[in-house]
Amino acid sequence: MALLLLSGGAVALRLEEALRANVAEHAEERAHSRRLGFSPIVFSSPPPPSTVHIEPRLVGHSPSPPLAARARSCLPPFGTHVHKVPRHTLGMGSQCPFDTDELIHATKHPVLTEAECEAIRQEAEERMAEGARSSFTMTETNRDVPVHEMPRTLRWLEEGGLLRLCSLARACFASAVSERGLWVYRGLVIKYSFDEGLTHQPIHRDASLLSCLVPLSRSSEYEGGGTWIEPLGQSLVLEQGHALLHPSAVRHAGGRLRGGTRVVLVLFLNSHRMHFGEHGRRLRARAQNIFAAAQEAAEEREAGAPSAGGGEEDAAPAGEDDEDDEELACLRFALEVTEESDHELFYDLGARAHDLGQTQEALRMYRRAEELNDKDPMLLSNMGVAMLELGEPRAAIRYYRRALAADPYNVNAYYNCGELLLELNRLRGLDALLKAAPDEVMAEPEMQELAAELESISNVMDNAVT
Ligand SMILES: O=C(O)CCC(=O)C(=O)O
Ligand SMILES: [Fe+2]
């Protein structure tokens, strides 16, 4: 398979620099984790077999047990239900630290007691009531409080809670976790509440090696919800205190809540040493940061630009082209280290070309992405747009419909599909589309406009007939 890039010593050298910077970033994050108040976990013995079973009553009752008891309470106590996900979907290439497709583990029993769940939840709710919130999840559709701002929970983690969860993570993912241990990149308590419009989290990967999620609510407190696992095409709803563990690179989402309140504890865990397979995610993040910084600078220039006089387009300020190249270089380095196995990188390259008006090239990249993951709603929706731009409206509709099958709440795909059906005068199709759209989608102003247009055309036609 031909690599897209990388020739010449100068570029290769820069790749090496980028990789070194990733390793340094990992070390800096580990140090930062300590500053936030998380002590790393170092294992003192080889991982016990995952079949080891200890009595549930040993788990997590004593607030400050002696060390030996603490260690015992930290054995991976319970078996897990395992869901298989092809490990190539992690996009880590042949250096993937996970050596199996058994990548989604849901414990068969609680690993946190009811009392522990309630205590953590209570502290999180106190912090939220005081107005604490982080923007870590970068979305308005849920609320989250960082664990490092929750002293009681932090202490509970120190006193054995973290060792318990990390031991479990180690038993589930032995190939990725060495004796040198694990540390918490971030911990969050996330609240979803249907009545407050906090209903979900979009599909994403987490910025760590392993993700561990424990519902603090009982499943009877909400409808819908759960953790949506894209490659399974399914939401997993766990009972209070059970743990869901998966590689952070499994694409997932906070599943749509249809009622009630769901509160979860999430720990993002990293291994002592960074695995080579993690370079891709860090390089992609670099590219995204460079892009975001360039966007911000452009917006600032626009805001600060004198409104009068001149009339000529400003020349790009010195350095901007270099920044663009840096973004591209990072994406290409990421492609190289992941051996072109990560569909998100092809998506990014496609979106970048699309933004620059290079629709053919965008489609070429999107197709490479689609070969690796044909269920990504954003990708499919963008492919629809590209198809339309290239004069293929029927293909565009097919892509929009596939995007909607993958994500029935995708407003962009709904709107683009609806607008195109209107343009093609396929009014029955438009009517059916609007009727199928969930209320949340129809509440969006652009969807309201589409519905109004359809109605006014229908009225005109009715009047013409009568
Ligand atoms: O709510 C969930 O089940 C998923 C949460 C999640 O993915 C996250 O916080 O990163
Ligand atoms: Fe996540």
Side-chain angles (χ1 to χ4, degrees):
M1 188 177 9
L3 287 175
L4 284 184
L5 178 222
L6 274 219
S7 51
V11 182
L13 195 67
R14 288 186 47 219
L15 170 59
E16 240 180 82
E17 277 167 25
L19 300 190
R20 264 202 295 273
N22 287 345
V23 173
E25 186 178 73
H26 176 92
E28 168 48 35
E29 286 173 0
R30 197 175 57 209
H32 186 62
S33 163
R34 274 181 182 278
R35 291 197 292 274
L36 291 177
F38 298 108
S39 304
I41 295 294
V42 181
F43 301 107
S44 53
S45 58
S50 49
T51 48
V52 166
H53 190 101
I54 62 166
E55 288 301 309
R57 65 183 165 73
L58 284 179
V59 177
H61 278 293
S62 166
S64 186
L67 210 58
R70 228 188 293 168
R72 221 178 22 251
S73 79
C74 298
L75 282 174
F78 309 115
T80 56
H81 296 289
V82 179
H83 301 261
K84 284 193 178 181
V85 159
R87 79 186 172 121
H88 66 79
T89 61
L90 303 181
M92 290 173 142
S94 61
Q95 301 293 319
C96 179
F98 301 95
D99 64 355
T100 164
D101 289 349
E102 297 194 341
L103 293 177
I104 314 285
H105 289 259
T107 60
K108 292 180 178 166
H109 302 278
V111 292
L112 266 63
T113 62
E114 188 181 340
E116 286 173 315
C117 291
E118 294 301 336
I120 297 169
R121 179 177 177 167
Q122 193 183 337
E123 186 174 24
E125 299 215 345
E126 281 167 22
R127 302 290 297 122
M128 285 188 209
E130 289 162 18
R133 70 189 52 178
S134 93
S135 55
F136 195 79
T137 56
M138 305 287 276
T139 137
E140 295 289 302
T141 55
N142 63 269
R143 186 159 301 154
D144 57 291
V145 183
V147 167
H148 61 261
E149 290 179 11
M150 297 171 53
R152 299 200 299 270
T153 302
L154 210 48
R155 195 166 348 110
W156 166 82
L157 284 172
E158 288 289 300
E159 288 184 347
L162 183 58
L163 185 52
R164 194 187 316 156
L165 292 171
C166 286
S167 302
L168 183 62
R170 188 182 189 212
C172 296
F173 303 110
S175 67
V177 182
S178 77
E179 278 179 37
R180 301 293 298 278
L182 289 167
W183 49 276
V184 177
Y185 168 62
R186 282 294 188 287
L188 300 174
V189 175
I190 301 173
K191 180 180 175 187
Y192 303 89
S193 159
F194 185 79
D195 290 343
E196 294 170 64
L198 304 171
T199 53
H200 67 284
Q201 244 187 79
I203 296 177
H204 63 280
R205 286 174 170 153
D206 298 320
S208 49
L209 178 68
L210 296 172
S211 302
C212 172
L213 176 141
V214 180
L216 303 175
S217 312
R218 289 181 302 281
S219 64
S220 57
E221 292 176 64
Y222 55 88
E223 285 162 52
T227 309
W228 169 260
I229 306 288
E230 185 183 73
L232 293 180
Q234 174 187 356
S235 271
L236 300 178
V237 180
L238 271 61
E239 237 342 307
Q240 182 186 53
H242 290 228
L244 179 72
L245 297 106
H246 59 81
S248 304
V250 171
R251 282 168 48 91
H252 63 281
R256 290 260 168 185
L257 210 60
R258 291 194 302 273
T261 300
R262 173 173 177 260
V263 182
V264 297
L265 169 70
V266 192
L267 295 180
F268 303 114
L269 303 171
N270 274 341
S271 60
H272 178 75
R273 288 175 74 120
M274 192 188 133
H275 295 281
F276 189 86
E278 296 180 84
H279 277 297
R281 120 169 105 76
R282 289 189 183 273
L283 287 164
R284 179 171 188 247
R286 263 173 219 286
Q288 285 175 338
N289 291 341
I290 292 165
F291 176 74
Q295 289 273 93
E296 208 172 298
E299 275 162 28
E300 266 170 31
R301 274 200 308 279
E302 215 162 277
S307 51
E312 275 172 46
E313 288 276 295
D314 275 350
E320 185 173 274
D321 286 346
D322 290 345
E323 279 168 4
D324 280 354
D325 285 350
E326 282 287 309
E327 182 205 352
L328 196 55
C330 285
L331 287 175
R332 287 171 167 173
F333 291 158
L335 268 189
E336 169 145 347
V337 296
T338 59
E339 296 153 45
E340 302 191 354
S341 67
D342 182 3
H343 99 282
E344 290 192 351
L345 294 169
F346 286 108
Y347 170 85
D348 287 356
L349 285 165
R352 187 188 143 97
H354 213 165
D355 264 359
L356 295 171
Q358 301 160 359
T359 310
Q360 287 284 7
E361 174 61 8
L363 191 60
R364 203 170 72 81
M365 290 294 112
Y366 289 154
R367 285 204 158 115
R368 297 289 306 269
E370 187 191 11
E371 282 166 18
L372 295 165
N373 179 355
D374 62 0
K375 294 190 179 66
D376 177 346
M378 284 202 339
L379 169 69
L380 295 167
S381 180
N382 278 13
M383 289 184 84
V385 175
M387 283 298 185
L388 184 61
E389 286 169 13
L390 294 171
E392 303 262 7
R394 289 158 75 100
I397 288 176
R398 280 199 298 276
Y399 273 112
Y400 293 144
R401 289 200 190 283
R402 282 177 58 196
L404 291 174
D407 175 12
Y409 289 84
N410 190 319
V411 177
N412 275 350
Y414 262 114
Y415 180 71
N416 289 340
C417 189
E419 208 188 24
L420 183 51
L421 289 169
L422 186 66
E423 229 171 272
L424 299 172
N425 211 23
R426 289 169 56 176
L427 301 184
R428 275 205 306 210
L430 176 57
D431 189 47
L433 184 84
L434 297 183
K435 285 195 172 120
D439 292 348
E440 289 93 322
V441 170
M442 286 312 296
E444 296 294 330
E446 63 265 44
M447 295 305 293
Q448 293 283 321
E449 268 171 39
L450 264 183
E453 279 194 56
L454 178 62
E455 201 181 319
S456 79
I457 296 172
S458 305
N459 287 342
V460 170
M461 281 169 43
D462 284 351
N463 290 340
V465 170
T466 51

